[in-house]
Amino acid sequence: MSELRRIPLPGAAPKVGFVSLGCPKALVDSEQILTQLRAEGYETAKSYEGADLVIVNTCGFIDAAVQESLDAIGEALAENGRVIVTGCLGAKKDAAGDDIIMKVHPKVLAVTGPHALGEVMDSVHLHLPKPHEPFFDLVPSQGIKLTPKHYAYLKISEGCNHRCSFCIIPSMRGDLVSRPIADLMMEAENLFKAGVKELLVISQDTSAYGVDVKFRSGFWNGRPVKTHMTQLVEALGQLAAQFGAWVRLHYVYPYPHVDQIIPMMGGGSVLPYLDIPMQHAHPDVLKRMKRPASGEKNLDRIQAWRAMNPDLTIRSTFIAGFPGETEAEFEYLLDFLKEAQIDRLGCFAYSPVEGATANLLDNPVPAEVREERRGRVMLLQEEISAKRLQAKVGKIMRVLVDEVGGKEAIGRSWADAPEIDGVVHIKRSLVPGKKLTVGEFADVTITAADAHDLWASVV
């Protein structure tokens, strides 16, 4: 039986429900789709029942994310029945080469991979006729955003040139494709003009920006600017300073040219914060992972960066129990962490991913050992984090206010990225002139700390 189209009532704009899963890079894909939908006159539904169809943007990186995505698709089918699927899971096949989504949920209307705006819109047009005339005046210049008004993600490239043995992202998102620098600067300016106070730069490998186009020059405000990380960060910092805003850097590989970024972090616009996905420290484990850097160089570089900027906050992720990891190699990682004193750290027990070459490595670590090692890393990190946060007690810090409640407000300092790091709990002041407002900055005195968060009062 052929699928029947649901036609909106005459004069009513068609409504699309949206479910966005996965990392900030997937979130940006979602924002681009929503922006195009709004440009063509579609409305966004607030519930499954009020939607003429539903789009689910999926994640497919690890088993838990795959299951979450499949569950979300199943829920959308059960609640609405008309579902288009996009995102990383859409590009993933099982061991037999079959489409994972269609095998589990054969009733979905269409499946596309990640970063597939055109294909998604084609599917929407097929199953939900677009309005006769687009309403471009309904689209804000900064596009449709899924983040709060005061912060936004800027995705500078798509794909990745690395072939890490535990990762299948290049098979889903392809090789590195850098966005033109003029487009990025225009998007950043529109975001700042719309009230964004914190711009979070993301990609699969921020340090490699421009490699694919041989760092060719673009133009911004009548002057040439190279498609290169250092010149992009410098230009974003100068632009952010005009609006009193922050720029935060994520997914930065510790290549030598990152040394040039650290001096830019002293003016208050480019934050002294680097998110560096190190994954391990032992040279042999890194070699099996096919990572592009060695642990010894990472430690030397961290120490050199902190010498240049003592306020530098470093966030990283690590994998415990990678295939072949011996107890000695794991102890080496613990020693590295003790010396490196990473400020913010996430650790994952290794999880086999369908299609990853790491699955073929010898001597897999038993699941219970993987989890036990992950626990040891996080226990050590609690001690490190508690000590580093305690050192901030008594200091005055600038925070960006995210929430304001009856008794306290929640903010973030330069050391706290949204969703993944800690927060600053701010005691509400009854003193006139010290009102806290969401999306605005406030200077606070740090009064207490634990292993994750800070507590403060308004200066």
Side-chain angles (χ1 to χ4, degrees):
M1 181 176 178
S2 61
E3 182 256 329
L4 297 176
R5 293 188 181 188
R6 184 180 305 174
I7 307 297
L9 295 173
K15 295 183 178 181
V16 178
F18 209 101
V19 178
S20 185
L21 305 172
C23 65
K25 294 174 285 295
L27 183 72
V28 173
D29 288 350
S30 296
E31 291 173 342
Q32 291 172 346
I33 295 169
L34 285 167
T35 297
Q36 187 62 33
L37 287 168
R38 177 69 68 85
E40 295 188 7
Y42 292 92
E43 290 186 0
T44 303
K46 304 300 181 184
S47 66
Y48 288 121
E49 296 80 8
D52 297 305
L53 64 76
V54 176
I55 298 173
V56 180
N57 191 3
T58 60
C59 179
F61 184 45
I62 60 176
D63 290 346
V66 170
Q67 191 57 54
E68 180 186 21
S69 294
L70 291 174
D71 289 347
I73 295 167
E75 179 181 322
L77 283 170
E79 297 292 333
N80 183 277
R82 293 165 51 81
V83 179
I84 292 171
V85 180
T86 187
C88 288
L89 186 57
K92 199 170 182 181
K93 308 294 182 183
D94 62 16
D98 296 324
D99 186 292
I100 290 177
I101 294 172
M102 294 302 295
K103 194 171 184 178
V104 178
H105 297 299
K107 292 185 179 181
V108 299
L109 301 178
V111 177
T112 77
H115 200 55
L117 173 61
E119 295 174 63
V120 172
M121 293 308 302
D122 288 344
S123 297
V124 172
H125 297 155
L126 178 63
H127 296 284
L128 185 63
K130 67 178 179 178
H132 292 299
E133 294 198 14
F135 299 96
F136 288 99
D137 57 316
L138 297 180
V139 183
S141 58
Q142 74 273 16
I144 307 301
K145 295 296 172 186
L146 296 175
T147 50
K149 183 180 178 181
H150 59 282
Y151 69 82
Y153 294 100
L154 180 71
K155 184 161 66 170
I156 65 173
S157 62
E158 189 61 63
C160 183
N161 287 342
H162 301 302
R163 295 297 182 265
C164 302
S165 61
F166 57 82
C167 182
I168 58 172
I169 287 177
S171 68
M172 295 186 288
R173 289 185 171 262
D175 290 335
L176 176 74
V177 178
S178 300
R179 292 181 59 195
I181 197 163
D183 291 356
L184 293 176
M185 295 304 299
M186 178 65 73
E187 182 176 340
E189 184 175 42
N190 287 334
L191 288 168
F192 289 138
K193 286 180 177 178
V196 164
K197 293 297 184 183
E198 180 179 4
L199 193 66
L200 299 104
V201 176
I202 59 170
S203 66
Q204 294 299 145
D205 180 357
T206 296
S207 303
Y209 175 66
V211 167
D212 55 313
V213 294
K214 299 181 180 179
F215 308 118
R216 70 184 175 210
S217 292
F219 287 88
W220 170 247
N221 278 350
R223 65 183 182 88
V225 184
K226 281 189 176 181
T227 309
H228 191 281
M229 179 195 183
T230 55
Q231 293 205 20
L232 172 63
V233 172
E234 182 180 22
L236 287 174
Q238 292 172 353
L239 183 62
Q242 298 174 29
F243 294 88
W246 285 351
V247 175
R248 187 184 299 276
L249 304 178
H250 285 278
Y251 312 111
V252 176
Y253 280 71
Y255 303 149
H257 64 260
V258 177
D259 296 356
Q260 302 169 40
I261 301 297
I262 308 303
M264 300 179 192
M265 295 177 169
S269 295
V270 179
L271 296 179
Y273 178 103
L274 288 176
D275 176 3
I276 306 169
M278 297 182 199
Q279 309 303 0
H280 212 278
H282 196 283
D284 292 342
V285 179
L286 290 168
K287 186 175 180 180
R288 293 197 295 274
M289 288 180 169
K290 296 186 178 179
R291 296 293 287 168
S294 68
E296 297 95 333
K297 290 181 179 178
N298 285 348
L299 185 58
D300 291 343
R301 192 150 281 133
I302 288 170
Q303 292 171 341
W305 291 341
R306 284 189 170 142
M308 285 189 276
N309 190 328
D311 289 330
L312 179 65
T313 291
I314 295 176
R315 147 164 280 283
S316 191
T317 52
F318 292 84
I319 297 173
F322 189 75
E325 182 189 61
T326 64
E327 180 64 24
E329 289 171 340
F330 177 70
E331 290 286 349
Y332 185 100
L333 170 60
L334 295 181
D335 290 340
F336 170 87
L337 296 177
K338 291 173 185 176
E339 194 164 356
Q341 294 285 295
I342 304 296
D343 299 89
R344 301 293 195 184
L345 184 148
C347 183
F348 303 91
Y350 173 74
S351 174
V353 177
E354 188 75 44
T357 59
N359 300 339
L360 305 176
L361 294 173
D362 295 331
N363 304 315
V365 179
E368 62 272 17
V369 177
R370 285 182 249 151
E371 189 56 41
E372 184 265 343
R373 289 178 180 174
R374 185 200 71 82
R376 287 163 65 188
V377 168
M378 295 313 297
L379 193 62
L380 171 61
Q381 181 58 28
E382 280 213 6
E383 297 176 10
I384 294 171
S385 180
K387 181 179 178 181
R388 294 188 71 80
L389 290 179
Q390 187 64 37
K392 296 180 180 180
V393 173
K395 294 185 176 181
I396 295 176
M397 300 180 71
R398 170 151 286 202
V399 299
L400 180 58
V401 179
D402 285 335
E403 302 173 29
V404 176
K407 294 184 178 180
E408 71 169 20
I410 302 295
R412 292 178 294 103
S413 73
W414 78 79
D416 311 307
E419 307 292 337
I420 56 174
D421 293 330
V423 297
V424 181
H425 301 267
I426 310 165
K427 183 180 178 181
R428 292 288 305 277
S429 174
L430 300 178
V431 179
K434 292 188 177 182
K435 180 180 178 182
L436 297 172
T437 304
V438 172
E440 297 297 332
F441 293 104
D443 292 325
V444 300
T445 300
I446 306 303
T447 58
D450 65 12
H452 306 285
D453 298 337
L454 298 171
W455 279 259
S457 58
V458 179
V459 174

